[in-house]
Amino acid sequence: MLLSYAWLQEFVATTTPPLALGEHFLMTSSELEHVYNWNEKLTGVVVGEVLTCEPHPNADRLKVLSVDTGDTKRMIVCGAPNIAQGQKVLIALPGTTLTNLKGESLTLAEATIRGVTSQGMVCAAFELGLPAMTPDGIWVLPTDAQPGETAVKALGLDDVVLDLEITPNRPDLLSHVGLAREVSAFENRKLTPPVLPIVPAGKFNRPLTHTAQVHVAPQAPCYRIAAIPLRVLSHGISPWWLQRRLIVSGMRPISPIVDVTNYVMLELGQPLHAFDITNFKEKKVVLQAEKVKASTPITTLDGITRTMELGDAVITLNGAPADIAGIMGGAESSITDETKEILLQAATFYGPHVRRTSARLGLRSEASTRFEKGLDPELVPQALARAVVLLTEIGAVEQAGTLLDHYPEKRKTVSDLCFACDRFEDIMGVRISITEAKHILEKLGFRILSTSKTTVHCAPPSWRADVKLEEDVMEEVIRIWGFDRVPQTLPKGPVKVPQRNPAFYRKEAIRSLCARLHFQETVHLPFCSQRQLDLVGIEKAQPIGDPISKDLAFLSPTHLISFLQSTAANQKEEQTRLFEIGKVFYPGCKEKLVLSALLRSAKNPEHLFREAKRLVESVTGSQCTYVPLKQALKVYDPAASYTVQVGDTFLGTIAFLATKTAEAHKIRRGRLLLFVELDLEKLLEQSALPIMYTSPAPYPAIERDMTIVVSEETPWSEVEDAIKGEVSPLLESWVLDDMFRGQAIPDGRKALTVHFMYRASDRTLTDAEIDTHQNALTTTLTTKLSAQIS
Amino acid sequence: MKNSPLETIRTHFQEMQTKGTAPSEIHEILLGRKGLLPEFLRTLKTESVAVRRELGMTANNLRKEIEIAVGEIQDTKVAADRITIDPSLPALPSEKGSIHPVSALIKEMVEIFADLSFEVVEGPEIVEDTDNFENLNITKDHPARDGHKTSFLTDSLLLRTQTTAVQVMEIRKRFKENKLPIRIVVPGKTYRRESDQTHSPMFHQIDAVMIDTQTTFADLKGCLDYFAKRLFGDTVETRFRPHYFPFTEPSAEMDIRLKNAQGTGRHTGWLEFGGCGMIHPEVLKRAGLNPKVYRGWAFGMSVERPLMLRHQIPDLRLLFQNDPAFLSQFSTTTCS
């Protein structure tokens, strides 16, 4: 909402400077979005008096003027046909930059035009970038303008406009009077709204040729409709005082009748619409608010034909839709220069209904932004009365009939709400006096019904339909009284130990663990495109209704898609280790929390796989089994894809990506890609066992290394099974220390160096005891696996 | 009598040192598995305890002597009795692992609220329209829905536009379990149907809710002031100004101003921090609570905004592009 500071002062005599006033609004109701200081506009443009106006010696169509610009006399060449001696006009001085209505900029300099030096330019409204309606040619000012005066001062545009963000519960603040009421409350000043006379009724000298009626159809989403028959006396242009109010409010003057409807909307908050019924065929005109019964096209003021759907609200003229209720008028009944008879109409539509239609049509207007928030039906006759006063005052119309009004069922408002000091203190944590509370409510237009020492009973004004509860009244009081005056305390009450959410903290521990294992956490947008799904070979994913773009059409069923996408975009690093903890989504609106990781490296695949296993087994906290995947995704290497299991419990997948995958995703070749996905929900279900102390062994361990050379075909698990098979109470642990091939190792065989730890709890072991086990193990490995031991 | 083999070993050791025998060879001959010293020790098994103790000690001293010598001979520049290093050598390269700054900040925020006795709760990201809107007093066609550009999956299911969606279900559950007062903090992903320089279709929020028979707007201000000061330091200023949310009454917007922040015009250095207010009676009713008896307050904010402020990240989108060079910058925050 653009609030003109000058206009505001018509209704409340504030002396607070505009910026400070904006701060007050911010702290009591509406956020200040922007400040437009008109005083900073049109710099370098001043009033000049045309002292002499002579023909140009070398050009038929040009004049040479002598102009008094206050400080000096200037010679100016002008081509406007309407220039004349004695006029007060606007002069742009050399050095001034002007931006015209088309947005084209021009910096003026002294110029010689056909041999005559011109020290400035006489301006038309268009050249100044103002959408003012003026007679053709240069802009001639009233005679009382002072030479040398700045243009904004002379035009009465020396205003400051505050752009306030009005919250959706306050349609009453989408008007200058509404905002003035706020100022009167927070500055404790008198509010002087415009006088609204009662519209004359009875016989009129020159009634319209048509008779008219207004009607709200049953079930129409409309509280009230009213209209006044008016006879047009003159068209032309609106007086400047009216135009400038519209211009600073961001609206474009069009014609006196349209301008007055807009003026009243900005002043009181009620949109109005004028229907041209001059050439209406039937004698009787019925203006009816109703729902359309079937799809109907309607051409609106902007020349676009739109389709009204079943249930949309319209205003019909004898049954034919003539206006999209609360949004935009129809082209057919719009005002033209030929219009002689009009019905000036105002109505109150149901907010949600207007909002729905406006959203569906993608059409928002000054009117719809007000209607959709729910307007006050009491405003309808007031706004019509105000418009008639203004239109009569400027000589545009005369009243030609009685006010027509249909308000079948009065909108319900709350009639009695109690403000209690005790309850207020209970909720707000601060006590205020009943006198203060009462005063604030009165200033905001609440009717005080009764008062006691600690309570006020009040009725909210008709324009405050948002006030329905005691809490709403409290808010009114506290926001004007001042949020900043409420103290800051901590909650009181008995001790209560909060419960820890084990799943959250376990997840955080897993996150830290992954980082400790040198993985970098990513957070991706969990969306993907059909193409990305196709590339990884996933047929079904959960689609998003009405997505913003193709890239955001589905919810990702795997983090792999995001990993591949961001890896392709960030390839500077030689190798990467990424992990992500987050939801993946499946068809049927299902979501699952998973931990995923992507390893990208030029290392040998066994080493990379072992690194991934370290992540998996650190996270799961146990040794897992890896079973070849039966149905691998298209992107996986089918020979190197496994499920991760603990016992029979499926925990996830670990898979090398097929070499083609990198290419298809535009990822540099020559690196292995290994993807891991773990079902985090299952992992978080496990509760961590309490740690129980065991005393450290008092005797030293004896360590032995053994290098076992086996066939390439023999997996480690078989070697390990053999070790496990050779049971010894002294063998504490073993670990695969190294693995190598080539050099001394024959082709087709590999060497595994295993590090053994032996320990007894009651003594220091002797070499002989260990040799026995090592020898037995050597025999087993040699016979079972044809291993060579060294 | 048994002392002599040890003397022999010592002599042998000294001879090898003078000859300049390679340390590894010295080690192998004297200390290796089949070396002279272990072999000698094995012969002691049959001796009495006293002899074993005495000779064992001498043998161990000799072993230490040899070990030191073997170690020191490897670097001839180093004097025999002191350690000399170049302290200007660079530290070993740090490991790459890192936690995403959003996760790190969420954890930090949760912990601040935990210090105020708030319990962390996480909910589903796909929720019913009822949970996201209706239960929060945002009816169909409510103008407040304008600010929540919503991605619907079906007629009734949607991607939550606010973590507040978890609020009513959680309050109802806890109230049934008689877990008053309720103090919960809800972090997580939220979704809006918008994407440009300052809006991401997915971002994170954190909500805090307190419900009790006695808690006030003053408590709300106190807790949030504490929260802001823990995040940005004691010198941060906070202010509360009226706003409108359908699910709180009165509603407020909380702003913060960092120390030395200045501005001109409307840019007075204040930054929007989060929305808050006393929970609307209608919302309490929908959670099954009598608003005459129970009351509460709620707070919600975006995680990204303070994050960008804290690390001076210029563009929201950088957070979700996951460039390893970006992620690495946050590795130091992992230990907190």
Side-chain angles (χ1 to χ4, degrees), chain A residues 261-381:
Chain A
T261 61
N262 285 333
Y263 185 94
V264 171
M265 175 177 73
L266 295 171
E267 187 181 69
L268 299 178
Q270 170 69 48
L272 300 169
H273 185 67
F275 290 94
D276 177 5
I277 56 164
T278 317
N279 296 316
F280 203 73
K281 288 188 200 86
E282 289 149 83
K283 192 88 175 75
K284 185 176 176 185
V285 184
V286 180
L287 207 58
Q288 176 161 272
E290 59 184 286
K291 280 186 181 175
V292 296
K293 293 172 191 74
S295 288
T296 317
I298 180 167
T299 305
T300 41
L301 281 173
D302 51 9
I304 297 169
T305 303
R306 299 183 154 87
T307 308
M308 306 303 293
E309 300 293 350
L310 182 71
D312 282 341
V314 289
I315 294 176
T316 57
L317 280 177
N318 288 8
D323 178 287
I324 306 179
I327 301 172
M328 194 177 272
E332 209 176 329
S333 56
S334 65
I335 306 298
T336 67
D337 284 349
E338 309 301 319
T339 303
K340 295 193 175 64
E341 298 187 351
I342 60 175
L343 285 176
L344 185 65
Q345 166 270 334
T348 315
F349 302 103
Y350 295 0
H353 211 95
V354 172
R355 186 177 174 278
R356 204 177 309 150
T357 306
S358 150
R360 186 176 53 73
L361 294 174
L363 178 62
R364 298 198 75 185
S365 60
E366 287 280 344
S368 74
T369 54
R370 287 175 172 80
F371 277 122
E372 69 175 28
K373 295 178 179 82
L375 291 179
D376 173 14
E378 301 305 321
L379 267 180
V380 165

Side-chain angles (χ1 to χ4, degrees), chain A residues 95-213:
Chain A
T96 304
T97 302
L98 294 178
T99 304
N100 70 17
L101 268 184
K102 281 187 184 165
E104 299 157 341
S105 282
L106 162 79
T107 301
L108 293 174
E110 258 190 29
T112 306
I113 302 168
R114 298 240 179 153
V116 179
T117 304
S118 184
Q119 298 167 300
M121 184 176 101
V122 188
C123 301
F126 173 85
E127 289 160 332
L128 297 172
L130 294 173
M133 300 278 285
T134 58
D136 287 347
I138 54 101
W139 196 345
V140 181
L141 301 179
T143 48
D144 59 355
Q146 290 302 308
E149 210 176 12
T150 63
V152 284
K153 191 95 178 47
L155 293 170
L157 289 172
D158 48 343
D159 198 352
V160 178
V161 175
L162 304 178
D163 186 359
L164 298 171
E165 187 198 342
I166 307 299
T167 54
N169 59 326
R170 296 298 304 275
D172 62 307
L173 297 188
L174 292 168
S175 69
H176 279 77
V177 169
L179 290 167
R181 188 180 296 114
E182 288 286 308
V183 177
S184 85
F186 64 66
E187 291 199 342
N188 193 21
R189 289 178 193 278
K190 193 171 169 352
L191 179 73
T192 50
V195 180
L196 302 170
I198 292 174
V199 182
K203 284 210 176 266
F204 291 85
N205 290 338
R206 294 202 292 165
L208 297 191
T209 47
H210 296 82
T211 56
Q213 194 191 335

Side-chain angles (χ1 to χ4, degrees), chain B residues 21-195:
Chain B
T21 314
S24 55
E25 204 178 316
I26 298 180
H27 187 274
E28 179 67 23
I29 294 169
L30 300 181
L31 305 179
R33 210 189 311 157
K34 290 179 180 148
L36 297 175
L37 199 61
E39 205 165 301
F40 165 72
L41 288 171
R42 278 194 281 274
T43 62
L44 291 184
K45 281 177 200 162
T46 49
E47 297 294 333
S48 68
V49 176
V51 173
R52 279 204 329 245
R53 185 174 297 153
E54 191 202 329
L55 290 179
M57 220 141 72
T58 323
N60 268 335
N61 289 341
L62 180 58
R63 174 191 285 273
K64 258 181 211 153
E65 211 175 302
I66 299 169
E67 278 172 349
I68 290 167
V70 169
E72 286 183 353
I73 291 163
Q74 283 173 344
D75 189 354
T76 47
K77 280 179 282 179
V78 177
D81 57 348
R82 59 196 182 94
I83 297 165
T84 318
I85 55 156
D86 172 4
S88 70
L89 288 173
L92 291 179
S94 60
E95 301 296 357
K96 274 227 165 144
S98 56
I99 284 180
H100 195 278
V102 167
S103 308
L105 184 57
I106 285 180
K107 190 175 174 217
E108 187 181 339
M109 288 171 156
V110 164
E111 279 169 358
I112 296 172
F113 276 107
D115 290 351
L116 289 166
S117 278
F118 282 67
E119 297 168 12
V120 59
V121 173
E122 292 176 293
E125 291 172 22
I126 298 176
V127 298
E128 299 274 347
D129 186 287
T130 336
D131 292 317
N132 199 75
F133 292 123
E134 303 273 334
N135 281 345
L136 296 171
N137 209 19
I138 312 172
T139 48
K140 285 230 157 45
D141 301 307
H142 194 291
R145 288 202 184 203
D146 275 351
H148 291 243
K149 297 188 172 63
T150 310
S151 287
F152 278 90
L153 302 181
T154 69
D155 285 347
S156 63
L157 286 171
L158 50 87
L159 289 170
R160 67 179 180 194
T161 65
Q162 44 189 352
T163 42
T164 322
V166 178
Q167 188 173 307
V168 170
M169 37 182 155
E170 194 61 31
I171 294 173
R172 190 184 295 130
K173 194 179 104 196
R174 283 167 184 255
F175 183 62
K176 270 189 196 147
E177 293 166 6
N178 198 21
K179 282 188 186 161
L180 280 169
I182 295 167
R183 290 178 197 163
I184 54 171
V185 54
V186 189
K189 289 192 171 81
T190 51
Y191 301 86
R192 301 274 169 98
R193 220 187 137 271
E194 51 194 342
S195 180

